[in-house]
Amino acid sequence: MLRFCIAVCVLATCWAQDCLVSNITVKQDFDKTRFVGTWYAVAKKDPIGLFLLDNIVVTYKLEEDGSMTAAAIGRVILLNNWELCANMFGTFEETEDPAKTKLKYWGAAAYLQSGYDDHWIVDTDYDNYAIHYSCRELDVDGTCLDGYSFIFSRHPDGLRPEDQQIVTEKKQEICFLGKYRRVAHTGFCPTA
């Protein structure tokens, strides 16, 4: 029994070290000019309190000053039964690593969201898939206590079969494997 307990403790320690937020790698040489455009959320790992349910489409744009903004739409349910499409807008604050930005929500979204989240691009090929990661709260051991992630596709039908393996490996690397749910696109929210 003692050996079993020791083995479990060693495995838990290894898992915690592998899942340290500081160990998560992001897209090398991230190019925001190639990233801009429309992305469809096809899978999502929910955090505490995030309310976008489905029909999530995000359009990233570069402004004249070189800053990046995002406009998103998605179905929400407010007050337990009021179903509508929420339009959200945010701006990105750059950091030393171009793949790691901070997202600030504006307008009504600022009241409905935490208002200032990490927005990391873990991986993308720019033309087909992108993996987003955000940790809202670190645990004392350096792992993510409350985080969320989106798997995006340029295609409203979802990921191509050849992208599935890459995305699955990245989900495991950010310690969110098995925590995603599918994001449906039913046409509930109109997209331009």
Side-chain angles (χ1 to χ4, degrees):
M1 183 68 175
L2 180 60
R3 285 184 183 179
F4 175 75
C5 289
I6 291 172
V8 168
C9 288
V10 168
L11 284 173
T13 301
C14 290
W15 179 80
Q17 288 174 346
D18 287 346
C19 291
L20 293 174
V21 172
S22 60
N23 290 343
I24 293 175
T25 60
V26 293
K27 176 71 174 172
Q28 292 293 331
D29 302 316
F30 177 70
D31 183 350
K32 64 183 177 182
T33 60
R34 292 183 61 200
F35 189 75
V36 296
T38 301
W39 290 95
Y40 299 88
V42 295
K44 176 180 172 225
K45 188 274 182 203
D46 292 307
I48 297 167
L50 191 67
F51 64 93
L52 288 178
L53 299 172
D54 52 37
N55 292 281
I56 303 166
V57 179
V58 182
T59 302
Y60 293 90
K61 181 180 173 187
L62 280 181
E63 300 300 328
E64 288 183 18
D65 65 0
S67 64
M68 192 163 67
T69 60
I73 190 167
R75 185 178 70 92
V76 299
I77 296 177
L78 299 176
L79 306 172
N80 292 327
N81 64 357
W82 188 25
E83 186 177 41
L84 63 120
C85 291
N87 289 297
M88 304 174 72
F89 181 76
T91 55
F92 295 92
E93 183 180 298
E94 294 184 14
T95 67
E96 292 177 14
D97 187 332
K100 291 182 175 182
T101 58
K102 296 292 271 183
L103 174 61
K104 179 161 181 51
Y105 296 101
W106 297 97
Y111 298 103
L112 300 170
Q113 293 293 322
S114 68
Y116 194 63
D117 291 341
D118 287 332
H119 190 278
W120 295 2
I121 302 301
V122 173
D123 195 21
T124 184
D125 71 349
Y126 302 102
D127 299 319
N128 298 291
Y129 74 90
I131 302 154
H132 156 274
Y133 173 84
S134 180
C135 183
R136 288 182 161 179
E137 183 179 353
L138 280 176
D139 203 343
V140 292
D141 64 1
T143 61
C144 189
L145 188 61
D146 179 27
Y148 65 100
S149 175
F150 286 99
I151 307 300
F152 289 116
S153 174
R154 288 282 192 194
H155 316 286
D157 313 355
L159 295 174
R160 302 173 316 157
E162 54 266 40
D163 300 326
Q164 293 284 352
Q165 182 63 35
I166 296 166
V167 169
T168 299
E169 288 172 12
K170 294 298 180 179
K171 287 178 182 179
Q172 186 168 350
E173 288 176 19
I174 62 175
C175 301
F176 284 169
L177 186 63
K179 297 181 180 182
Y180 288 82
R181 64 176 179 80
R182 188 172 183 276
V183 174
H185 288 273
T186 63
F188 183 86
C189 294
T191 57

